[in-house]
Amino acid sequence: MNAMPKRLSPDLIGQLVAIVGADGVLSEADAVEQVTRTCVPFRTQPSAVVYPRTVEQVQALVQAAAAADVPLWPVSTGKNWGYGERTAVYEQGITVILERMNRIVHVDETLGYAVIEPGVTYKQLNDHLKSTGSRLWSDCAGTTQHASVLGNALDKGRGLTPMADHFGNICGMDVVLPDGQLLETGGGSTGNNTVRHLYKWGVGPCLDGLFAQSNLGIVVRAGIWLMPAPEVFDFAAFEYKAGPERLGDFIDDLRELVMARALRSFPHLANDFAMMCILSQYPNDLLDGRKHLSESAAARWRKEHGVAQWTFGAGLYGSREEVRYQKRMLRKVFGRYGMVQFIGAAVQDNWYGRLVRKVAPMVNRLLGKSPEFTDVMVPAINLYRGIPTDEFVRQAYFRSHDQKPKTDIDPARDGCGFVWVGPVVPFTSGHVLKALAVTRQINEKHEFDFFVEVIVESARSVIVLVGVFYDRHNPAEAARALAWYHDARAAYLHDGYPPYRATSMSMPGAMDGNPVARDFLASIKAVVDPQNLLAPGRYGMPLRPADNAQ
Amino acid sequence: MNAMPKRLSPDLIGQLVAIVGADGVLSEADAVEQVTRTCVPFRTQPSAVVYPRTVEQVQALVQAAAAADVPLWPVSTGKNWGYGERTAVYEQGITVILERMNRIVHVDETLGYAVIEPGVTYKQLNDHLKSTGSRLWSDCAGTTQHASVLGNALDKGRGLTPMADHFGNICGMDVVLPDGQLLETGGGSTGNNTVRHLYKWGVGPCLDGLFAQSNLGIVVRAGIWLMPAPEVFDFAAFEYKAGPERLGDFIDDLRELVMARALRSFPHLANDFAMMCILSQYPNDLLDGRKHLSESAAARWRKEHGVAQWTFGAGLYGSREEVRYQKRMLRKVFGRYGMVQFIGAAVQDNWYGRLVRKVAPMVNRLLGKSPEFTDVMVPAINLYRGIPTDEFVRQAYFRSHDQKPKTDIDPARDGCGFVWVGPVVPFTSGHVLKALAVTRQINEKHEFDFFVEVIVESARSVIVLVGVFYDRHNPAEAARALAWYHDARAAYLHDGYPPYRATSMSMPGAMDGNPVARDFLASIKAVVDPQNLLAPGRYGMPLRPADNAQ
């Protein structure tokens, strides 16, 4: 690791420049280092980075790589901060960043979908819809607004609105195969299939799934479904105030709300520490020489800001009758466990919205909350309308810097250290409490604070998203984070909770728990990509023996 | 075709008997002929039929077939009448019927899913849920109650309730691969993945889709999601009474109802002829020497029974507020085009239900409707609660027999001739009207009556399901049906509307319109099943050159 990357032959560099243009190739070591920085405690560096602009350029790159026998590591924008970003699982090779392929090819107002390239960001798609007066909403993730819509979907990322299942809303892909051919998924006749972005299952075996968390091809274009703006939108802000002994009942009641579609958004239940990351800066003064906060120090800090044990928001969507139902149920069920406030009006562009925004600081003060609660109110509500923001991803700087920056957020570039693991857990009190207990124990063991968000995935499962923040520039701290990561991952797998996403640290072994599936995929990989040129080692599919892998 | 099938070697027959028992092997020609009859105008016969009971038996069958180099054609129950039933696309080989693998392995009341084997039928699953007092509803198809739940889902069949997308509700499979290994999809650790039936996307590439309409493995077990019974259920019966010039507006309004979730079920819009198939017997006396009814004869016949141009039902589901919304919208929108009646009460087991059932015949008489309208009322409503029935599949006998049988329906066995083609069409007035016009023209050309159901697939597409009925025992008639089928299929593909399902007549060429996808799948098939033993020729994946294919 961290060996100086081998330079590519001048001949190959020349070919890359001929394909994408001189401004699309980085091969100078400093430049390569800068654009491939990572937040996770594992770093490799490619020999070059290329930025294609067109499908044809991607096809030519695949062919040039094959001729030179140099692997390609494609990423959309690579802003999956804390999961591995643009880091290949091996040294050297060529990293392909698709951010310049950023065309919104088509938006269909009537049928509710867009066809986009992998460089299209949440902000770009949302701005486009707003500026064209579209009736459609896109979903977005809680991450940076500059992340790739398709990249997140292909990594099975999650949003918050009723369209939160990003991969589930992908329909119909164009994929450059390792041999350079362009595959159009969805059956029908190539170039003449009116329903390839409308009907998910196509004709014959469904291929879209093969290209999620995959190295079998490069997705260069796809359809993504969008939702029409609902007649009524509202937002419930909830704080869990009951004791820990009632958390299990709350989890079960929450599942029933989703099952009965009284809850249509997919909230992230932030624990106190996760909420503090959003609201505040790490209180180093409370550490008392420890590596993480003591129980009592954390409690003191929490109280200062007026943060509850669990906090989250939920969007309400639908006709007036439907929203009335949702309100009735949320009030009834959430009311048993804490405080629920319906504050969707705060984003309305009228006198009432202005009034709510005006009185919010006073109300928060009366409730004993810090002013930062008011700062995040509007961006939080907007997330539930699919409007992306960098407000929440600023938490990446929470421990690494004295002050979170206000603009130009890029924690990978700026040396923030953090890493995520998100086991998928059955949506029952028994399983969720067990996963939380396991997490607490492992974080305790490795002396990390207990940061967790319980992400509602569906009525049937949740993702228990756990993160740690560490000092990237301190090798001992990085080693501690790495040890935590492997330990946590192993513990979740042991308990039957597979992480929904691997990172550059866990990809090569991602399928080791299921050898039949791993070998089945490896045999497909061997025939589709016999030289193993596309992202070798991604999600359990074999590394190239020649590559300098971890 | 129709050559006497080659007998298997006594040695192989002995092996089959050793694996599944003597009562699980049919190799006598008459018996084989009887269980492999088909409704479509294309017939092949296997050399033997086997009925495994367990996963281990399926694995042993795959290995025995490999040793003997004899292909296997697996079907679940093979009751996909009008699509090809148990008919392989080649002569000889062994047909594997999975109907004796009929265990309901698990029903999870809390998380809303069942794990079942491929022999489990709609009736069996529904009876099980009812007899255990489950809060869960299964969906069913409009076909026979004895069809396989998994088989229909793997063929991408459709139901009617909010869980109508059968394949979309499959989650986590056990698959016997061509080499006899058992593949567990869903990532995680084999045998220790708590979320494999809860979370659809698993870890790494999603494999479930590969086994839909596929010959890459034999699905021997899968999870299927079920819905909790809603607080309120109602049913809207609708008749389209506006002129044909307003049908386009109606289609667009219908899409908006689905988009706005005012319509949560997935209705089948039956045209007048389709409705007559359900209500009546073919009026041969009106033919006047023609092969199909003249415009005026059809109109006369329709009038006799009081059938509208288009008829369909829709389920209403949810809380009382939600159903109020749905009612308001259906009344408002449907009211513009015809008559809507809310008659869900007819299936209530109380005094009000009894009253509605009692007055229904009188109301129907007043509305000028034949008594058969009343006969189908309760079964039709029940379909929208997932309760299967053989009432509607009786239409298969509509043209072939003097009287539809009341019980023991099996149109394949009983020599009924009919065949379906179901192009997927964008849910816009322009596309739907075009697909209907193309259909009318082709049926006219081949002198078939115009039978069509427009099946709402989602807010984005519909399936225009077209069927013809013909006399199976008359070779000229069978040839006419075959010619119609190939013509219709080609016309839909030409217009960009790929059929959602192939039949034994179209499978080998099913992917020919998309050569890159076809070759990609063929290369996967070649590595997963190098002997090409599993269902060669299914959905465009290569036939064995040695087999006596069409």
Side-chain angles (χ1 to χ4, degrees):
Chain A
M1 276 205 294
N2 283 328
M4 197 53 158
K6 194 174 82 175
R7 291 183 65 85
L8 302 179
S9 73
D11 184 46
L12 181 54
I13 298 278
Q15 284 177 53
L16 300 179
V17 167
I19 294 167
V20 298
D23 73 329
V25 180
L26 296 183
S27 59
E28 200 271 315
D30 276 359
V32 168
E33 188 280 323
Q34 207 185 326
V35 302
T36 59
R37 287 183 189 166
T38 173
C39 301
V40 310
F42 171 76
R43 176 84 199 264
T44 61
Q45 281 189 57
S47 305
V49 176
V50 294
Y51 295 85
R53 287 186 185 276
T54 66
V55 174
E56 294 70 25
Q57 289 180 2
V58 173
Q59 292 175 296
L61 284 174
V62 166
Q63 280 151 352
D69 200 37
V70 172
L72 299 180
W73 188 268
V75 298
S76 297
T77 57
K79 297 203 168 140
N80 51 336
W81 294 325
Y83 286 106
E85 304 83 12
R86 295 153 170 188
T87 308
V89 298
Y90 51 83
E91 296 285 352
Q92 302 168 9
I94 300 169
T95 292
V96 183
I97 300 178
L98 303 171
E99 66 184 29
R100 294 184 189 171
M101 295 181 71
N102 62 356
R103 265 163 302 188
I104 296 170
V105 179
H106 177 60
V107 173
D108 193 311
E109 274 297 301
T110 308
L111 293 167
Y113 71 95
V115 179
I116 57 175
E117 293 185 336
V120 172
T121 66
Y122 291 117
K123 176 167 168 42
Q124 185 190 350
L125 181 56
N126 185 68
D127 285 353
H128 177 84
L129 295 172
K130 297 293 176 281
S131 72
T132 54
S134 173
R135 68 163 176 165
L136 302 170
W137 285 3
S138 54
D139 191 278
C140 60
T143 183
T144 170
Q145 56 190 330
H146 303 296
S148 160
V149 175
L150 290 189
N152 184 278
L154 293 173
D155 269 351
K156 307 177 190 169
R158 302 281 314 170
L160 298 142
T161 76
M163 307 300 265
D165 177 5
H166 290 170
F167 181 70
N169 285 306
I170 291 284
C171 186
M173 295 174 173
D174 285 352
V175 185
V176 172
L177 295 175
D179 65 1
Q181 286 198 87
L182 189 66
L183 169 70
E184 186 181 300
T185 68
S189 295
T190 313
N192 183 27
N193 179 354
T194 59
V195 293
R196 60 184 298 241
H197 301 303
L198 305 175
Y199 173 62
K200 286 188 75 71
W201 310 129
V203 178
C206 313
L207 299 179
D208 283 8
L210 272 191
F211 300 102
Q213 296 187 341
S214 161
N215 62 6
L216 295 169
I218 303 178
V219 178
V220 289
R221 194 172 286 182
I224 185 156
W225 289 353
L226 307 171
M227 67 181 271
E231 186 186 330
V232 179
F233 168 79
D234 204 342
F235 180 84
F238 175 69
E239 296 191 338
Y240 180 86
K241 308 257 192 182
E245 75 287 354
R246 292 184 60 209
L247 187 61
D249 290 342
F250 176 66
I251 297 287
D252 287 325
D253 281 349
L254 189 63
R255 179 195 60 246
E256 291 305 309
L257 287 177
V258 183
M259 199 64 102
R261 296 190 55 78
L263 192 60
R264 289 206 193 164
S265 64
F266 294 89
H268 296 203
L269 285 61
N271 79 342
D272 50 356
F273 191 84
M275 198 63 195
M276 294 306 300
C277 291
I278 291 168
L279 298 174
S280 181
Q281 207 69 37
Y282 198 78
N284 287 299
D285 52 312
L286 297 180
L287 275 177
D288 273 337
R290 292 162 52 101
K291 287 187 177 130
H292 66 316
L293 297 179
S294 67
E295 198 78 28
S296 65
R300 200 157 9 119
W301 182 45
R302 186 170 71 226
K303 212 161 170 195
E304 235 170 70
H305 285 267
V307 168
Q309 205 74 55
W310 295 91
T311 306
F312 65 94
L316 288 74
Y317 310 85
S319 64
R320 52 181 195 269
E321 296 96 331
E322 290 174 296
V323 170
R324 202 176 299 138
Y325 162 60
Q326 295 164 43
K327 255 187 170 156
R328 171 170 68 87
M329 293 300 287
L330 296 191
R331 194 173 276 133
K332 176 176 147 190
V333 175
F334 288 175
R336 289 183 208 140
Y337 300 97
M339 183 179 69
V340 56
Q341 293 173 292
F342 295 95
I343 55 169
V347 295
Q348 281 175 20
D349 190 20
N350 56 23
W351 70 268
Y352 187 56
R354 283 188 292 276
L355 179 68
V356 172
R357 289 192 290 276
K358 195 148 189 176
V359 301
M362 283 176 282
V363 173
N364 278 334
R365 203 158 45 232
L366 282 171
L367 293 167
K369 301 195 171 311
S370 65
E372 289 83 1
F373 263 94
T374 308
D375 297 342
V376 299
M377 179 179 72
V378 168
I381 300 174
N382 275 339
L383 272 182
Y384 287 78
R385 304 197 291 164
I387 299 172
T389 174
D390 277 0
E391 181 63 37
F392 299 100
V393 79
R394 292 169 61 228
Q395 64 179 294
Y397 292 80
F398 159 77
R399 193 153 187 185
S400 321
H401 290 65
D402 291 338
Q403 277 297 319
K404 298 176 188 169
K406 285 276 179 204
T407 56
D408 191 23
I409 313 285
D410 188 337
R413 179 198 62 202
D414 296 340
C416 303
F418 62 97
V419 53
W420 303 112
V421 59
V424 192
V425 175
F427 201 160
T428 66
S429 52
H431 282 291
V432 175
L433 293 183
K434 182 174 165 191
L436 291 176
V438 167
T439 302
R440 189 184 277 281
Q441 197 184 353
I442 287 169
N443 283 30
E444 209 39 73
K445 175 181 158 197
H446 290 276
E447 298 176 84
F448 280 111
D449 292 299
F450 182 54
F451 175 114
V452 61
E453 289 185 14
V454 177
I455 299 178
V456 174
E457 192 278 324
S458 74
R460 295 176 178 83
S461 75
V462 300
I463 295 168
V464 175
L465 184 72
V466 185
V468 299
F469 297 82
Y470 69 98
D471 179 355
R472 254 202 75 76
H473 300 300
N474 177 338
E477 286 296 280
R480 182 162 70 102
L482 188 65
W484 168 84
Y485 178 77
H486 287 303
D487 230 19
R489 196 173 168 278
Y492 298 131
L493 281 170
H494 175 269
D495 286 336
Y497 309 137
Y500 87 110
R501 218 160 150 176
T503 66
S504 47
M505 298 171 289
S506 59
M507 273 186 190
M511 304 291 291
D512 284 354
N514 189 333
V516 177
R518 182 196 59 201
D519 296 351
F520 180 80
L521 278 164
S523 71
I524 292 176
K525 175 70 174 172
V527 68
V528 168
D529 183 10
Q531 280 178 270
N532 199 5
L533 286 173
L534 266 194
R538 189 178 276 181
Y539 278 93
M541 280 184 282
L543 281 160
R544 288 158 58 97
D547 293 317
N548 178 9
Q550 192 193 25
Chain B
M1 276 207 293
N2 283 327
M4 197 53 154
K6 193 175 79 175
R7 290 183 64 84
L8 301 179
S9 73
D11 184 47
L12 181 54
I13 297 278
Q15 284 178 52
L16 299 179
V17 168
I19 293 168
V20 297
D23 73 328
V25 179
L26 297 182
S27 59
E28 200 270 315
D30 277 0
V32 168
E33 188 280 323
Q34 208 184 327
V35 302
T36 59
R37 287 183 189 166
T38 172
C39 301
V40 309
F42 170 77
R43 177 81 198 266
T44 61
Q45 282 189 55
S47 305
V49 176
V50 294
Y51 296 85
R53 287 186 185 277
T54 65
V55 174
E56 294 71 25
Q57 289 180 2
V58 173
Q59 292 175 297
L61 285 173
V62 166
Q63 279 151 353
D69 200 36
V70 173
L72 299 180
W73 187 268
V75 299
S76 296
T77 58
K79 296 202 167 141
N80 50 334
W81 294 326
Y83 286 107
E85 304 82 12
R86 295 151 171 189
T87 308
V89 298
Y90 51 83
E91 296 285 352
Q92 303 169 6
I94 300 170
T95 292
V96 183
I97 300 179
L98 303 171
E99 67 185 27
R100 294 184 189 172
M101 296 182 71
N102 63 355
R103 267 163 300 189
I104 296 171
V105 179
H106 176 61
V107 173
D108 193 311
E109 275 297 301
T110 308
L111 292 169
Y113 71 96
V115 180
I116 57 176
E117 292 185 336
V120 172
T121 67
Y122 291 118
K123 176 168 170 39
Q124 185 189 350
L125 181 56
N126 185 67
D127 286 354
H128 178 83
L129 295 173
K130 296 293 176 283
S131 72
T132 54
S134 173
R135 69 162 176 165
L136 301 171
W137 285 5
S138 54
D139 191 279
C140 61
T143 183
T144 171
Q145 56 191 329
H146 303 297
S148 161
V149 176
L150 289 190
N152 184 277
L154 293 174
D155 269 351
K156 307 178 190 169
R158 301 281 315 170
L160 298 142
T161 76
M163 308 300 266
D165 177 5
H166 291 170
F167 180 70
N169 285 305
I170 291 284
C171 185
M173 296 175 171
D174 285 352
V175 185
V176 172
L177 295 176
D179 65 1
Q181 286 199 88
L182 189 66
L183 169 70
E184 186 181 301
T185 68
S189 295
T190 313
N192 184 27
N193 179 353
T194 59
V195 293
R196 61 184 294 241
H197 301 303
L198 306 175
Y199 173 62
K200 286 188 75 72
W201 310 129
V203 178
C206 313
L207 298 178
D208 282 9
L210 271 192
F211 300 103
Q213 297 187 338
S214 159
N215 62 6
L216 296 170
I218 303 178
V219 178
V220 289
R221 194 171 285 182
I224 184 156
W225 289 353
L226 307 171
M227 68 180 269
E231 187 186 328
V232 179
F233 168 80
D234 205 343
F235 180 84
F238 174 70
E239 296 190 337
Y240 180 87
K241 307 257 193 185
E245 75 288 355
R246 292 184 60 210
L247 187 60
D249 290 341
F250 176 67
I251 297 287
D252 287 324
D253 280 350
L254 189 62
R255 178 195 61 245
E256 291 304 309
L257 286 176
V258 183
M259 200 64 100
R261 295 189 56 77
L263 191 59
R264 288 204 195 167
S265 64
F266 295 89
H268 296 202
L269 285 61
N271 79 342
D272 49 357
F273 191 85
M275 197 62 195
M276 294 306 300
C277 292
I278 291 167
L279 297 173
S280 182
Q281 207 70 38
Y282 198 80
N284 288 299
D285 52 311
L286 297 180
L287 275 177
D288 274 337
R290 293 163 50 102
K291 288 187 176 130
H292 67 314
L293 298 178
S294 67
E295 197 80 25
S296 65
R300 200 159 6 121
W301 181 46
R302 184 171 71 226
K303 211 162 172 196
E304 235 171 69
H305 285 266
V307 169
Q309 204 75 56
W310 295 91
T311 306
F312 64 94
L316 288 74
Y317 309 84
S319 65
R320 53 182 194 269
E321 296 96 331
E322 290 173 297
V323 170
R324 201 175 302 139
Y325 161 60
Q326 294 163 43
K327 255 185 169 158
R328 169 169 70 85
M329 292 300 287
L330 296 191
R331 194 174 276 133
K332 175 175 147 190
V333 175
F334 288 176
R336 287 182 209 142
Y337 300 96
M339 184 178 68
V340 57
Q341 292 173 292
F342 295 96
I343 55 169
V347 295
Q348 281 175 21
D349 190 20
N350 56 22
W351 69 268
Y352 187 56
R354 283 187 293 275
L355 179 69
V356 172
R357 289 192 290 275
K358 195 147 189 174
V359 303
M362 284 176 284
V363 173
N364 278 333
R365 202 156 48 230
L366 282 172
L367 293 169
K369 301 196 171 308
S370 67
E372 289 83 0
F373 263 94
T374 308
D375 298 342
V376 300
M377 178 180 70
V378 167
I381 300 174
N382 275 338
L383 273 182
Y384 286 79
R385 304 197 292 165
I387 300 172
T389 174
D390 277 1
E391 182 61 39
F392 299 100
V393 80
R394 291 168 63 228
Q395 65 178 294
Y397 293 78
F398 159 77
R399 191 153 190 185
S400 321
H401 290 65
D402 291 339
Q403 277 297 320
K404 297 176 190 169
K406 285 276 180 205
T407 56
D408 191 22
I409 314 285
D410 188 338
R413 179 197 62 202
D414 296 341
C416 303
F418 60 97
V419 54
W420 303 113
V421 60
V424 191
V425 176
F427 201 160
T428 66
S429 54
H431 282 290
V432 175
L433 293 183
K434 180 174 166 190
L436 291 175
V438 167
T439 302
R440 188 184 277 280
Q441 195 183 358
I442 288 169
N443 283 29
E444 213 34 78
K445 173 181 160 196
H446 291 274
E447 299 177 84
F448 281 110
D449 293 300
F450 181 54
F451 174 114
V452 62
E453 289 186 13
V454 177
I455 299 178
V456 175
E457 192 278 324
S458 73
R460 294 176 179 83
S461 75
V462 300
I463 295 168
V464 175
L465 185 71
V466 185
V468 299
F469 297 83
Y470 68 98
D471 180 355
R472 253 203 76 76
H473 301 299
N474 178 337
E477 286 297 280
R480 182 163 69 102
L482 188 64
W484 167 84
Y485 179 78
H486 286 303
D487 231 19
R489 196 173 168 278
Y492 298 132
L493 280 171
H494 174 269
D495 286 337
Y497 309 137
Y500 87 111
R501 217 159 151 175
T503 66
S504 47
M505 298 171 290
S506 57
M507 273 185 191
M511 304 292 291
D512 284 355
N514 190 332
V516 177
R518 182 194 61 201
D519 297 349
F520 180 79
L521 278 163
S523 71
I524 292 177
K525 174 71 172 170
V527 68
V528 168
D529 183 9
Q531 280 178 269
N532 199 5
L533 286 173
L534 267 193
R538 189 177 277 178
Y539 279 94
M541 279 183 283
L543 282 160
R544 287 157 60 96
D547 294 317
N548 180 9
Q550 191 192 26

